[in-house]
Amino acid sequence: MSKKTIVLLLLGTLTLSCSTQKSTEKKSETKVKTNNYINTISTESLRTNLTYIASDETEGRETGSEGQKKAGKFMIDFYKKHGVSFPKGAKDYYQSVPAAFLNAKRNENLPDSENIWAYIEGSEKPEEIVVISAHYDHIGVKNGEVYNGADDDGSGTVALMEMAVAFQKAKNEGHGPKRSILILHVTGEEHGLHGSRYYAENPLFPLANTVADVNIDMIGRRDDLHKDSNNYVYVIGSDYLSSDLYNICESVNKEYTKLDLDYKYNDKKDPNRFYYRSDHYNFAKNGIPSVFLFNGTHADYHKATDEVSKIEFDALTKRTQYAFAIAWEIANRKDRLIVDKKE
């Protein structure tokens, strides 16, 4: 072998080594950065916000009620305090949902209500939208008892509030997200997914530009199938439309949160049909990759005993961090999610 060949081989090896080192350093830097924002999600803030959202003062947040409007104002004041704006193209934090729409399928004499939205504009691909959704209504007051709905879906509501602040902090510090984040608190879920259906039929941003929906509905408790540990979450629908979404849900959990991902309710033949019963479905049926995070039902489901005192805030925090990690990866990856399956 000539000296020239040996030199070229050594140079090639050195270049490859440098390239590998840079790739490893970049991956390490990305992980540190992601962890920084995951860790801004605060148990104490979740507790403080949920203590009000699911208090007797909000009267069970029945769709269109004064109690629900109080909860909505509290959420908006929180966003204003933390510098999280309403979306471009909207005049404020409200998307009005008229009574005529809410009562069209089944007249329950519901009054006008509102979806509430907040927005963090993307730095590189602002026209591409990642939706993070949860319903903030519950079932109100029955026979003089307030149905507080701390888990259903106060837990998802406060999770979105924390995630919005984490994304805004990242943006303020010059670290993304590359795609825009639409935080969408929907109304009327308890009466038939009305608020998310209204948004899907009247989107602020074109559905064709909507990359994914990460939906959160009940993540503050544990069910009877997990009596010994709350370190789990049910993952529903992640693989229905997009292999990319499924892979992201798996990989970020291994990297950051290490929850037990339970796919029991992901079976399309499951008799509970949870995939069709929460707000992500109004995105999924329009071909938008969607994942639903859920802790399962429990003895206090849709009862007056679904109270803040029973929330397991360690589980709520970790599941919120997991949802954030999923949305963060979707928002910051080079390519938008590929839709390679049919529901």
Side-chain angles (χ1 to χ4, degrees):
M1 188 181 295
S2 68
K3 287 183 179 180
K4 183 177 180 181
T5 303
I6 291 170
V7 169
L8 287 172
L9 283 171
L10 287 171
L11 284 172
T13 302
L14 184 61
T15 302
L16 183 62
S17 176
C18 289
S19 176
T20 303
Q21 185 179 347
K22 284 180 182 178
S23 176
T24 303
E25 286 174 356
K26 187 173 182 181
K27 187 176 180 181
S28 178
E29 183 184 334
T30 300
K31 183 176 180 180
V32 169
K33 192 187 300 178
T34 306
N35 262 324
N36 284 344
Y37 297 117
I38 286 174
N39 290 332
T40 66
I41 290 166
S42 159
T43 300
E44 286 314 304
S45 183
L46 288 164
R47 187 189 305 274
T48 298
N49 290 334
L50 187 57
T51 297
Y52 181 78
I53 292 291
S55 67
D56 285 354
E57 188 175 338
T58 62
E59 301 172 326
R61 307 185 307 280
E62 172 64 289
T63 300
S65 68
E66 284 306 308
Q68 189 197 37
K69 293 179 192 302
K70 285 181 181 178
K73 184 178 184 306
F74 177 86
M75 290 148 56
I76 290 168
D77 287 345
F78 176 85
Y79 288 135
K80 288 178 177 177
K81 176 183 175 183
H82 290 278
V84 183
S85 182
F86 53 83
K88 281 192 168 182
K91 66 182 188 331
D92 55 28
Y93 289 91
Y94 295 107
Q95 182 185 36
S96 297
V97 183
F101 183 90
L102 294 167
N103 294 301
K105 288 194 170 186
R106 183 171 70 245
N107 188 4
E108 298 180 87
N109 294 314
L110 296 170
D112 293 342
S113 189
E114 306 86 21
N115 292 331
I116 290 175
W117 47 29
Y119 179 72
I120 299 91
E121 186 172 38
S123 59
E124 293 183 16
K125 301 181 179 185
E127 73 286 353
E128 294 187 12
I129 309 297
V130 180
V131 176
I132 310 175
S133 60
H135 71 93
Y136 75 108
D137 64 311
H138 194 51
I139 56 177
V141 179
K142 296 180 183 295
N143 301 318
E145 279 194 291
V146 178
Y147 284 60
N148 299 103
D151 194 25
D152 185 15
D153 186 26
S155 61
T157 300
V158 297
L160 262 60
M161 294 164 72
E162 282 298 292
M163 292 165 70
V165 170
F167 273 113
Q168 186 64 53
K169 179 177 172 61
K171 182 176 175 65
N172 293 347
E173 295 176 357
H175 297 311
K178 293 177 181 177
R179 294 175 177 82
S180 297
I181 303 292
L182 178 65
I183 301 290
L184 187 63
H185 299 273
V186 292
T187 188
E189 188 270 355
E190 299 286 10
H191 293 277
L193 314 183
H194 294 325
S196 55
R197 183 167 54 87
Y198 187 81
Y199 180 84
E201 293 179 14
N202 303 272
L204 183 61
F205 303 102
L207 293 185
N209 291 354
T210 302
V211 173
D213 175 41
V214 179
N215 184 55
I216 305 172
D217 194 347
M218 298 174 60
I219 58 165
R221 297 278 297 273
R222 73 178 79 183
D223 66 5
D224 286 343
L225 298 176
H226 299 85
K227 288 180 179 178
D228 296 331
S229 175
N230 62 21
N231 191 53
Y232 76 95
V233 69
Y234 290 109
V235 179
I236 303 172
S238 64
D239 62 344
Y240 279 21
L241 292 169
S242 173
S243 300
D244 283 346
L245 180 56
Y246 170 80
N247 291 333
I248 285 169
C249 292
E250 285 284 318
S251 64
V252 299
N253 181 58
K254 288 173 185 170
E255 193 78 34
Y256 302 109
T257 45
K258 297 177 174 59
L259 288 159
D260 175 15
L261 303 186
D262 194 326
Y263 290 94
K264 173 180 171 59
Y265 297 125
N266 193 54
D267 185 346
K268 292 181 182 180
K269 295 178 182 177
D270 181 76
N272 293 286
R273 292 176 58 81
F274 287 126
Y275 178 74
Y276 305 95
R277 290 171 53 186
S278 194
D279 292 295
H280 62 281
Y281 184 63
N282 283 314
F283 291 92
K285 73 181 185 182
N286 283 290
I288 296 166
S290 302
V291 60
F292 169 25
L293 305 180
F294 178 50
N295 57 215
T297 58
H298 43 70
D300 301 305
Y301 175 66
H302 276 203
K303 292 184 179 176
T305 47
D306 181 7
E307 297 173 341
V308 175
S309 61
K310 295 183 179 180
I311 294 294
E312 299 182 49
F313 281 94
D314 58 339
L316 174 54
T317 302
K318 199 166 187 183
R319 292 165 183 158
T320 303
Q321 291 172 333
Y322 176 51
F324 175 82
I326 295 169
W328 175 273
E329 176 62 24
I330 296 168
N332 285 299
R333 73 199 305 263
K334 181 182 176 183
D335 300 314
R336 69 178 284 172
L337 299 182
I338 293 173
V339 179
D340 55 358
K341 298 182 179 184
K342 288 185 178 180
E343 186 209 332

